[in-house]
Amino acid sequence: MKKADIVEFYARLAADNPHPETELNYTNPYTLLVAVALSAQSTDIGVNRATRLLFEEVDTPEKMVALGEEGLKRHIKTIGLFNTKAKNVIALSQKLIADYGGEVPRNRDALETLPGVGRKTANVVMNTAFGAETFAVDTHIFRVCNRTGLAPGKTVLAVELKLDKATPQPFRLHAHHWLILHGRYVCKARTPECWRCVVRDLCAFKPKTPAPRQRGSSEES
């Protein structure tokens, strides 16, 4: 995608959604970190359902350690891989207390030392909690970047690095949220809803998906 088209691409997403936010519920950087760690291979809706009561009771690493692994499991048992996630959340909480005074660190290297925290989780926390211009590439963003031609790459890291290089100001802070929401609700995996996409004329994907009525008409003919 050409530079001018990239600017227009983001400008349209920004106009359509001026203040994008994560759909995970959280109350502070720690609960955000926990929510993101729990969201791997799970939906945000499912995580929010599991953490609604949890975060009323637990909002610090100290409280999480006091709750314990079994207590945490009772809250998150509806989430996929909940046994492993519970173990990691307790372990990362212990490490936050031991190494960081109970505070969530603001840099990627430190965040990635925490159990169960990879580069994507670290990028989400840095961006959402601390306002860093990071690009957390999940399956939605990976798909959108490759499908549209915005930042194609064979690996998640390749897409992230291309996004970092290609995304200009003033769009860098919210870029990851615009892209994930676009992938989740418009540029869907099985059938992208091109007929209602605000950037369809800038997108490399072909053929564009017609509106449902048009698809039905063509099938009937």
Side-chain angles (χ1 to χ4, degrees):
M1 194 178 292
K2 296 178 181 179
K3 288 184 179 180
D5 289 341
I6 291 174
V7 172
E8 181 65 17
F9 183 97
Y10 279 120
R12 291 185 194 177
L13 294 181
D16 191 55
N17 186 3
H19 305 290
E21 297 179 346
T22 179
E23 294 187 319
L24 287 170
N25 294 333
Y26 68 99
T27 60
N28 58 26
Y30 173 71
T31 55
L32 174 66
L33 173 62
V34 172
V36 178
L38 294 176
S39 71
Q41 300 182 46
S42 302
T43 65
D44 287 359
I45 293 173
V47 172
N48 289 340
R49 189 181 299 118
T51 59
R52 183 175 62 84
L53 295 178
L54 173 66
F55 289 163
E56 290 180 3
E57 178 183 350
V58 173
D59 59 1
T60 66
E62 292 81 2
K63 291 178 182 177
M64 187 67 77
V65 171
L67 177 66
E69 190 173 327
E70 293 305 315
L72 177 56
K73 285 180 183 180
R74 286 194 290 272
H75 282 280
I76 67 169
K77 60 185 177 182
T78 57
I79 299 177
L81 306 176
F82 73 93
N83 284 311
T84 299
K85 290 176 180 178
K87 182 178 180 180
N88 284 337
V89 167
I90 295 299
L92 73 82
S93 300
Q94 292 170 331
K95 190 169 180 64
L96 286 175
I97 296 167
D99 295 351
Y100 301 103
E103 298 294 323
V104 176
R106 291 172 174 257
N107 69 82
R108 185 185 292 117
D109 289 343
L111 283 165
E112 288 192 65
T113 67
L114 301 173
V117 176
R119 186 180 181 92
K120 183 184 75 172
T121 296
N123 281 339
V124 173
V125 172
M126 290 168 62
N127 177 267
T128 303
F130 303 124
E133 295 174 353
T134 54
F135 302 84
V137 179
D138 69 346
T139 56
H140 296 298
I141 295 179
F142 185 81
R143 178 177 67 256
V144 169
C145 287
N146 277 286
R147 184 181 275 169
T148 62
L150 174 65
K154 293 183 178 181
T155 66
V156 167
L157 181 59
V159 169
E160 179 190 332
L161 296 178
K162 281 193 176 182
L163 264 182
D164 193 9
K165 185 177 180 180
T167 303
Q169 295 291 9
F171 307 112
R172 293 177 60 81
L173 179 61
H174 295 311
H176 131 261
H177 285 123
W178 282 317
L179 294 172
I180 192 172
L181 293 172
H182 189 65
R184 184 173 290 164
Y185 296 112
V186 180
C187 195
K188 299 176 180 179
R190 289 190 178 183
T191 306
E193 298 182 359
C194 304
W195 68 89
R196 64 183 191 90
C197 175
V198 298
V199 293
R200 58 185 172 271
D201 58 311
L202 304 172
C203 169
F205 178 72
K206 294 179 181 180
K208 298 293 192 289
T209 309
R213 184 178 300 175
Q214 292 173 316
R215 291 208 306 272
S217 299
S218 63
E219 288 168 3
E220 289 170 7
S221 61

